[in-house]
Every structure is written in structure tokens, then in C-alpha cells.
Amino acid sequence: MHGVEAMRSGALVSVLVAFALAQIVAPHLALAQPRNQASAAGQVDGTISNALGQPIPDATISLSALDGRVTAVTHTDAHGRFNFRSVGPGTYQITASKLDFKPEAQTLRLSERQRAARLMLTMEAKAPLTLAVVAHRLDNARNALSPATGGSVYKFDQAAIGKLPEGANTALSQVLVQAPGVSQDGYGQGQEQIHVHGENGGGLQYRVNGIFLPEAVSSYGEILSPRFVRSLTLLTGVMPAQIGYRNEGVIDVLTKDGCADGGPQNNNVDFFGGQRATFEPSFEYGGCAGRFSYYASGFYLQSALGLQPPTSRPDPKHDQTYQGQGFANLNYFINSQTRLSLLAGTAVNYFQIPPESNLAPVYTLSGVSSYPSADVHDSETEQSYYGILSLQGTIGAAIDYQLAAFSRYYTLTFDPDPIGDLIFNGVAARIRHTGFINGLQEDTAYRLDATNTLRAGLYLSGEAIEIDDDARTFPAKDGVQTSSTPVSIINDNNQVAWVLGLYAQDEWRPLPHLTVNFGARWDWVSAFVTQNQLSPRLGFEYEVVPGTSLYGGYARYLKLPPFESVALETVKTFENTTNAAPVSSGNDKVSAERDDYFDLGIRQGLLQGLKLDVDGFLKFGHDQLDLAQLAGSQVFAPLQYRKSRAWGADCSLTYQQDAVSGYVNFSYAVLQARDISAAQFLADSEQEITYVANHWIPLDDNQLFTGSTGASYRLWGFLLTADAIWGSGYRRGFANSGELPPSLQVNAAIVRSLKLSRFREVEARLSVINLFDHSYQIRNGTGIGVFSPQYGPRRAVYAGLKVPIATLMNASAEVFGAKSAKP
């Protein structure tokens, strides 16, 4: 019944969205018609920009016939735009000229069938380019390699990140939960512990400067920081053919560069900390020197609140964390069209895992008469190292390219409590995952003419994976412990996973206000199984009138499973022990998920500074992936459903005007699946498997409704800011049939920039997390593959001080200078 009600709710929402779209679009149809009539008469539209992509106003634009006769002359407006109307069929030359710029010309042809053209011209300044100008131009060329047509786009820049209550000290996952359709999970610190529209199949993709950075196994810690992010974009819905393998959401990170984001005005150290024994110093440093640019950042964090605890106590026991990150972006400019870049990063994270209190012992351990569950001390250590070497540039005005080689090594080690885990879980297992990934990625864009941009590329990676499990457990028969003396079971597995992908696509502008991006990609993967798929893609965006765009499309996806599957052989080694899985049979060959995805949305400017984006989606899936926890252990692995279906809508309202900014995001999402087809041993019971085989059930990470909101206001030199996240509750109980109570968390901050005597400007910040101290449960330890309860964080107060490095150096010079001056 719940599924039927959800279907009805989804249908009602779809009708309402369709009605809203009709009400918005219909009044503009009459306006769109004259535009089509103008096209029939022949027209040429275009824009003129400089090497930085900035519009050039008041440039002279002439339209000439082949014999040199000038037929029309106009000038660009303040946005660099120009147009010619009533242009007859023929071949013409467009010439742009302006003082201090080199003239630019382009030839075009209008025919009886194609009587409209849209041009984008770039004028080169006569003065030599500085390194900062070259870097900015190459950044724009790199951005042009990846289109975003047909899906939902939500962007955070450095200004938006700075307005969050914790600013750049915010974990990247907590930045992303402010986007529509994104919700936090129990372990809210981890990069994989967020969900987009309830998906949890390891399908988030992180791209750094256009390069896909393969994810490691599921972990608690993060490897990327908002500190070195210039802009962060979340792409959902229909993706271009360039995107493969992870399509739940694409987090596209453009990093800071030393030329644009370094120097004395930006180099700083930040001291942040407060309650829960939190201390987090960090730094940023960058600049330009000759043909080199350099940027580096890093932080160290220690806190007594590392993971979301299993109780609602403000100060959970045994929840210490120590984390560190480092990042560097080094660039060498071979010439004004080419640069060689090296990105390198590391993250080392240590987490204590907070235990549940007042649990009754489940098993008997020889020689131990009493052991409180609150004293159980498990921990996890994670290390990640990555590097990307890329050659990126332009060839003339028509070709942009990027060739990159990447490498990543990771290791994850879970250390159990050798006594407590045996008494309360029946197993104490030391688990170690390692992986070494190497690969190549190449992307090329070619502007064929004024209406077509062709893009193509490839991706190739190989990953060596090793999973070692050294466990101690008790003998048992029919689930009943038969000995209090534990036995050792060692189970080691390794494999190599290969991935290859090729794509080609065309960004076509058949009309001046219509963009169509169509293409396909072919992917081949050899891991648990060997598969391949051809995936067509089609996306469009149509500007109905200025400020209003309709977009949508269709995509076929092949989503790879996380390469951390549990083998059936491993499950069988624990038969007749207290660590035996409730289900000891099934298919351990987890395959890639195949989806058909449809998307339709509208973007509209309502008032000055106020924008609305409404996006609806529909998915039909086969071999739906979902991560689950193996019994009471800390092993997470993918299980698979034979069929899935999903539908919903995102609504985003943003406002930016002078000193005031704000946003409201609201999402409705349904994700259902049936028939567990692989990794059945991750389910709770045979009865549950039988039920799911014949019923559509919601997945455990699906919240029917989610929302986020935030606002900031600059007043008398202060920045007053607040944000909030809300969710209707994750699933719980047998076959995910129940729902937890709603959750709400409000955060706030006051920020002030201060100009101290003889020093540069410093920034002070006072932040409050969970302002109203609302206690809420994220998980209760039930649901398919869920065994650990978690609560959200309680109220905590933090303070920060960001100081320019030049200020510290000047202060040190004054102090030591004064000391040396003493007799």
C-alpha cells in the first residue's frame, strides 16, 4: 500500500509540475513566434569576448560580402552582444575591431534552409598577456571541454562557501547537503556518506579540474577540502556522454590557482576550534614566479566528535578523531596556449568508533567475567594519496584538449576491540583494504563551425585490490555458541579491476536559442564480471525568453559497483560460528547497474536577483546497487536488486541582491526496488529475501522529502549567516517498511573582518552548530544492511580567526626586532 500511495503522490507532483511549467511557458509562446519568423527572414547573432571570457562592449562589427562590399555595420552592447537582421542567403565575413585589440574575422554562410547563425568571437589584446591572464584563458578552455546541457546544475563558489556558518572549515559533505536532493547519512563526515535522491550504490563521481578521481572503498573520512576549491558544482539528472561510471551525482571541483588565488592578499593561516575538544589549524599559500604558478593548502583536525554517535549524548564516549590533509597545484606554462599541471594530495584520518552503552553481553568469553559495552574501543585508520599530471591547452581558436595521467593509493584498516567485540558481536576482525589505481583520461573539443562543437575522449584505468580479514570468533551450532574459546579465521582476497570508456558527442545549436547535446559512450569493465554497454545520451536547453530556459533529456547509464564486494567463499568460512551471516547463500557476482534516466526542468528569473529552478526526473533501473553492512562487522559491500524505479522533483529558489543572499531547496524523491539478485547474504533473513522478491520496497537511504535553506546579510561590517537541513526520515524495520521521525538541524554564525593597526585585515568568525540543540536520530540500526544506530550532533560553539601570512611575518619581525634592539 505504501508503494501505491507513493506512486499516487508522485503522479500528483508530476501533474502539478507539468501544470506549473505550462503556466510559465504558455504566456511566452506568443513571444517565441516572432523570433521564429525573424529566423525565416535571415539573422546573425553573436558575442565578442576577450581572452578572459569577458564581454567586449562597443566593438565595431561589420558584415561584408565576399567582394569586400560592407552590407551592414553595428556595435556590441554592454554584454558584448550584436545582431544583424534581414540577411539574405549567401557567404559573408564578420569582422570585429576595437582600439587596443587585434581585429578578428570569421566567415559564415546562410542558405535557404539554414538562415540563422550564432557566432562567438574572441579578440586578442595588443598588449602582452600576463601569466594570470594566460591561466584564466586556459581555465576557460578547460571548462569548455565539459558541457552541462540537459540536467540540473547547482554551484557553490568561494563566496558561497564563505557564507556557510563554518566557512572553509566546513566538511565538503556538509557543503553538499545544502544542495537540492542531497541528504546526510549517519557518518556525516565521510565523502561517500551523503545521498542524492536516496541512492547509495557508490555512484558519486568526483572530478578535479575535469579529471575523474576514482573513489576508494567506503570510508569515514574525506580526501578533498573546500579550502582549495574555487568553485564546486553538483550535476544531477541527464549527463553528457563525457560522464560515465558514477552518475548518482557528479561533484565537479575547480581548484584554486596560485596566480589568481595566491599572493599576499590571499595567503593566510586559519585557527578554528571550540567545543568537543575541537582544534583545526589550516593554511593557504600560493603565487606566480616566472612561468610557474603554485598553490598549496592543508589542515590538521582533532576533535572528540569524530563520527555520529549511537546515543543522543552531547559528548559521546570514545569518539576521538585525528585528521590531516594536504593539497598542491603546480603549473608550468610552456607557452600562452599550453600548460603542464601537477595536482597532488594526501589525507590521513583516524577515527575511534563510539560504542553503545548498557548493552547486555551476548556471548561468553573465557576468562572475562564482566565487560561494559561502553568500554568497547574499535577504531579505523584511513590513508589516501593521489596525483594527477595533465597537459592542457588550445590549438588555434578551434581546439581545446586535456591529456591526464592519474594515480591513487589508499589503505583502510579497522582495528577491533579484541574482547568487547567478541562479547557483544561474536567476532573481532582486523580488516585491511588496500588499492592502487592508475589510469589515463583524454578529452578534446573541436569547434567545427558556429553551430557545432564536437567532443570526444577516452578513459582507461586498472586497479589492484586486496582485502585481508583476520578474525577471531566463537564456534556455534544453529546460531548457539558452543565454546567460550575463540577460533581464528583468516580470509584474504585480491583482484584486478579494468575499466575502459570511449565517448563522442556534438553540441549543436540548430536555432540561436536552442542547444542540443547528443552523443554516446561505450564502456567495458572487467572486475567481478565482464560487461560492456553502449549508452546513448541526448540533452537540450531552450531559452524560451531571456531569463527563462527549458531543459531536459534522456540518458542510458552503466554504473559500476564499488570494488569491495564480499565473496560467497568468505561468508561460508564463517558457517558454524557466531559470525555466521543470517543468509549463507546467494550470488556473489555483483554486476554493473543499468539505468534509463529521463529529466525535464525549467529555470526562470522571477525578479531581479531571484531565480527559480524546478527539475523532475524518472528512472527505470536494472541490477540496482545498494551498499550494506555485513552483519555486525564494519565491512560494507554492495548488494543488488533485479529491478528498480525512481521518480521525484527538485525545487530550488535562490536570491542575491546587494548585501542579502539566500536560498531554499526542497526535494521529493521515491526510490524503490525488488528482488535481491546478488549478495543476498547481506540481508537480515530468508523471510526478508522472500518478501522483497515479490514486493516493491523503498531503499533504506531514501527519504521521501528533504530540504535545505540558508540566508546571509551584511550589516555594519558584520556578516550574519545561517543555514538548515531537514529530512522526513530514513527507512527502518523489516524490508525498510518503516520510517524514522523527521530530522532538523540549524546552524548560524557571525563573521567580521577587522583591520588591526599596522597589520592587514583579519577575519573573525563565531559559529554555532545545531543552534536549537535539536536531538534527532539518523539511523536506529534496522533496515536492510543497517546495523548501527546514529544520532545527529548536538549544539556546539566554535570560533575562528583567519590571519594573512604577511601579518604574522610582520608581527614576528617586529617582536624579534624589538628583542634584538635591547642592550
Side-chain angles (χ1 to χ4, degrees):
M1 289 298 294
H2 182 79
V4 173
E5 293 175 0
M7 288 283 284
R8 291 174 178 171
S9 300
L12 178 59
V13 170
S14 301
V15 170
L16 292 175
V17 170
F19 178 75
L21 293 175
Q23 294 299 310
I24 295 172
V25 175
H28 301 311
L29 293 180
L31 298 177
Q33 184 63 29
R35 184 179 291 165
N36 294 334
Q37 293 173 355
S39 297
Q43 65 181 33
V44 178
D45 297 277
T47 58
I48 306 291
S49 59
N50 60 19
L52 296 177
Q54 301 166 333
I56 299 178
D58 201 33
T60 301
I61 313 298
S62 60
L63 179 70
S64 306
L66 287 182
D67 58 5
R69 178 173 49 87
V70 177
T71 59
V73 176
T74 187
H75 294 82
T76 56
D77 62 13
H79 302 286
R81 296 179 299 212
F82 67 90
N83 63 74
F84 293 103
R85 295 290 184 264
S86 302
V87 182
T91 302
Y92 299 91
Q93 179 172 281
I94 296 285
T95 304
S97 60
K98 187 176 181 180
L99 186 66
D100 297 329
F101 287 87
K102 297 179 181 178
E104 178 68 21
Q106 186 168 325
T107 302
L108 64 93
R109 177 176 174 78
L110 299 181
S111 64
E112 292 291 346
R113 296 182 59 186
Q114 183 66 41
R115 303 195 63 183
R118 184 174 181 83
L119 307 178
M120 291 183 292
L121 302 179
T122 300
M123 297 183 69
E124 183 180 352
K126 293 180 179 178
L129 296 177
T130 65
L131 196 59
V133 171
V134 172
H136 196 125
R137 184 174 68 179
L138 289 174
D139 286 344
N140 289 338
R142 181 170 57 203
N143 296 344
L145 290 170
S146 181
T149 303
S152 178
V153 180
Y154 198 87
K155 186 174 182 178
F156 302 86
D157 56 16
Q158 266 296 307
I161 293 173
K163 291 175 183 177
L164 296 174
E166 294 181 278
N169 301 289
T170 310
L172 190 62
S173 59
Q174 298 304 299
V175 175
L176 292 169
V177 297
Q178 296 299 323
V182 181
S183 60
Q184 70 168 347
D185 202 345
Y187 296 115
Q189 302 298 314
Q191 232 155 241
E192 285 299 322
Q193 305 307 320
I194 58 174
H195 307 296
V196 179
H197 299 145
E199 300 271 5
N200 186 29
L204 289 175
Q205 179 175 155
Y206 289 82
R207 298 173 71 89
V208 181
N209 290 347
I211 306 301
F212 173 33
L213 184 63
E215 281 297 284
V217 297
S218 298
S219 59
Y220 298 143
E222 300 194 352
I223 66 169
L224 303 176
S225 167
R227 287 177 183 83
F228 61 76
V229 171
R230 180 186 292 169
S231 69
L232 176 70
T233 304
L234 174 64
L235 306 175
T236 60
V238 171
M239 311 284 184
Q242 188 173 16
I243 305 297
Y245 313 126
R246 305 280 188 258
N247 56 274
E248 293 171 11
V250 173
I251 294 93
D252 194 9
V253 176
L254 297 181
T255 66
K256 291 182 178 179
D257 174 82
C259 290
D261 307 293
Q265 299 298 325
N266 299 297
N267 298 336
N268 63 79
V269 292
D270 193 344
F271 302 94
F272 188 79
Q275 285 186 272
R276 314 289 183 259
T278 301
F279 178 58
E280 186 178 4
S282 63
F283 77 94
E284 294 183 72
Y285 188 82
C288 290
R291 291 183 175 225
F292 288 93
S293 76
Y294 54 91
Y295 172 86
S297 71
F299 75 86
Y300 167 78
L301 167 65
Q302 66 177 43
S303 174
L305 183 64
L307 301 177
Q308 310 293 24
T311 67
S312 61
R313 291 178 50 189
D315 298 290
K317 187 177 181 179
H318 193 75
D319 199 7
Q320 190 74 29
T321 184
Y322 302 95
Q323 303 177 38
Q325 270 190 37
F327 173 81
N329 181 10
L330 308 176
N331 295 275
Y332 176 72
F333 294 86
I334 299 173
N335 52 47
S336 60
Q337 289 81 38
T338 313
R339 71 174 161 192
L340 185 67
S341 300
L342 174 64
L343 295 178
T346 182
V348 179
N349 306 309
Y350 169 81
F351 293 93
Q352 294 178 341
I353 299 175
E356 294 186 69
S357 302
N358 303 318
L359 295 180
V362 179
Y363 304 99
T364 302
L365 176 62
S366 178
V368 179
S369 59
S370 176
Y371 200 94
S373 65
D375 291 342
V376 176
H377 52 279
D378 299 332
S379 64
E380 184 166 294
T381 304
E382 306 160 3
Q383 300 180 57
S384 183
Y385 309 89
Y386 62 91
I388 301 173
L389 181 65
S390 63
L391 181 68
Q392 183 254 325
T394 63
I395 302 176
I399 298 177
D400 303 322
Y401 67 90
Q402 181 166 252
L403 173 64
F406 58 85
S407 183
R408 179 177 178 188
Y409 173 79
Y410 63 84
T411 177
L412 179 152
T413 303
F414 172 77
D415 289 304
D417 183 320
I419 298 175
D421 282 355
L422 280 169
I423 293 175
F424 295 99
N425 297 326
V427 61
R430 188 177 191 271
I431 302 169
R432 178 179 171 86
H433 286 195
T434 62
F436 189 33
I437 310 169
N438 294 280
L440 295 171
Q441 180 179 320
E442 197 280 330
D443 300 283
T444 300
Y446 173 59
R447 283 172 283 279
L448 180 64
D449 53 37
T451 59
N452 290 272
T453 299
L454 306 179
R455 295 181 175 91
L458 65 86
Y459 174 90
L460 172 66
S461 71
E463 178 178 1
I465 306 159
E466 184 174 352
I467 303 175
D468 300 332
D469 186 355
D470 185 357
R472 296 174 71 237
T473 185
F474 296 114
K477 184 176 182 180
D478 298 327
V480 179
Q481 181 181 1
T482 58
S483 172
S484 60
T485 301
V487 295
S488 293
I489 297 177
I490 298 177
N491 187 271
D492 298 338
N493 294 281
N494 60 75
Q495 69 171 354
V496 176
W498 291 97
V499 178
L500 171 65
L502 306 170
Y503 77 90
Q505 59 192 1
D506 180 17
E507 187 175 23
W508 177 41
R509 293 184 177 86
L511 298 173
H513 301 276
L514 174 64
T515 300
V516 179
N517 191 66
F518 62 93
R521 67 176 296 119
W522 178 80
D523 295 299
W524 174 87
V525 57
S526 177
F528 313 121
V529 296
T530 299
Q531 297 174 270
N532 71 87
Q533 178 174 290
L534 182 66
S535 305
R537 308 287 175 87
L538 173 65
F540 73 90
E541 183 161 348
Y542 177 65
E543 186 183 31
V544 182
V545 294
T548 301
S549 296
L550 185 69
Y551 64 89
Y554 162 79
R556 176 74 166 160
Y557 291 126
L558 181 75
K559 183 167 68 178
L560 302 187
F563 297 138
E564 51 181 327
S565 178
V566 175
L568 184 58
E569 178 184 351
T570 300
V571 175
K572 289 186 176 298
T573 59
F574 288 97
E575 288 183 346
N576 298 318
T577 73
T578 52
N579 191 46
V583 179
S584 59
S585 62
N587 170 28
D588 61 355
K589 303 300 183 184
V590 178
S591 58
E593 178 181 332
R594 304 173 190 267
D595 298 325
D596 291 286
Y597 202 99
F598 303 87
D599 193 275
L600 182 64
I602 188 168
R603 301 185 185 98
Q604 183 169 29
L606 301 177
L607 300 170
Q608 186 174 5
L610 183 64
K611 297 179 180 179
L612 174 67
D613 191 331
V614 179
D615 180 87
F617 66 90
L618 175 66
K619 184 190 94 166
F620 298 101
H622 185 74
D623 292 332
Q624 171 75 36
L625 293 167
D626 190 28
L627 283 180
Q629 189 176 356
L630 178 61
S633 72
Q634 294 300 317
V635 176
F636 291 85
L639 64 77
Q640 198 152 46
Y641 298 86
R642 193 171 305 281
K643 294 181 180 180
S644 67
R645 60 189 184 188
W647 63 90
D650 296 329
C651 180
S652 179
L653 190 67
T654 60
Y655 179 76
Q656 175 68 56
Q657 190 71 20
D658 299 327
V660 181
S661 65
Y663 59 89
V664 177
N665 300 315
F666 183 79
S667 297
Y668 164 75
V670 175
L671 176 58
Q672 297 177 341
R674 66 183 299 169
D675 192 4
I676 302 177
S677 57
Q680 292 89 342
F681 39 80
L682 295 176
D684 298 331
S685 65
E686 292 283 2
Q687 292 79 8
E688 194 169 50
I689 293 175
T690 301
Y691 179 85
V692 175
N694 299 287
H695 297 81
W696 288 99
I697 66 164
L699 296 193
D700 64 282
D701 301 296
N702 178 220
Q703 296 191 80
L704 197 59
F705 300 103
T706 57
S708 62
T709 184
S712 66
Y713 180 52
R714 295 192 179 275
L715 178 67
W716 303 327
F718 289 90
L719 172 65
L720 309 177
T721 181
D723 65 28
I725 54 175
W726 173 83
S728 60
Y730 283 116
R731 310 304 304 184
R732 62 176 177 84
F734 177 82
N736 304 330
S737 56
E739 189 176 34
L740 288 169
S743 61
L744 174 66
Q745 181 177 318
V746 179
N747 312 310
I750 301 176
V751 185
R752 177 64 190 262
S753 294
L754 307 171
K755 290 186 177 180
L756 304 180
S757 176
R758 297 172 305 191
F759 297 137
R760 295 182 184 272
E761 195 172 79
V762 301
E763 180 185 273
R765 180 183 298 265
L766 180 66
S767 308
V768 183
I769 302 303
N770 199 348
L771 179 65
F772 301 109
D773 200 24
H774 174 61
S775 176
Y776 62 94
Q777 190 175 43
I778 302 175
R779 299 283 192 179
N780 74 344
T782 67
I784 296 179
V786 180
F787 292 90
S788 303
Q790 293 101 27
Y791 281 80
R794 299 292 294 274
R795 180 168 53 214
V797 180
Y798 304 100
L801 187 67
K802 182 188 293 185
V803 184
I805 291 178
T807 294
L808 292 179
M809 296 179 65
N810 292 338
S812 299
E814 289 191 13
V815 170
F816 288 109
K819 287 184 178 180
S820 62
K822 292 183 179 180

